[in-house]
Amino acid sequence: CVGELEFADDEYAPQPKLRRMFGNPSPVTWWRWRHDPAMGCPPMKEINGRKYGSLREWRKWWAQRKEVA
């Protein structure tokens, strides 16, 4: 899943690409992940009205989720 789109770890990816990289969850699931403190999702940056996430932080978060599951 994570290997589908190649980005350097220090880059920021727009929210739609992040969703596709991490299993393409529904919009509601994505919202829940980001707004539930228990999930521990990395923060998003807003640039010109669009949300972006750090690939390094999101990959680390995803790897931790897989370890718990």
Side-chain angles (χ1 to χ4, degrees), residues 30-39 41 51:
W30 183 255
W31 186 92
R32 286 181 185 148
W33 285 0
R34 292 185 303 108
H35 290 86
D36 181 355
M39 292 296 290
C41 282
K51 290 182 172 56

Side-chain angles (χ1 to χ4, degrees), residues 39-51:
M39 292 296 290
C41 282
M44 303 288 283
K45 282 188 175 183
E46 190 164 323
I47 303 170
N48 293 328
R50 297 188 70 194
K51 290 182 172 56

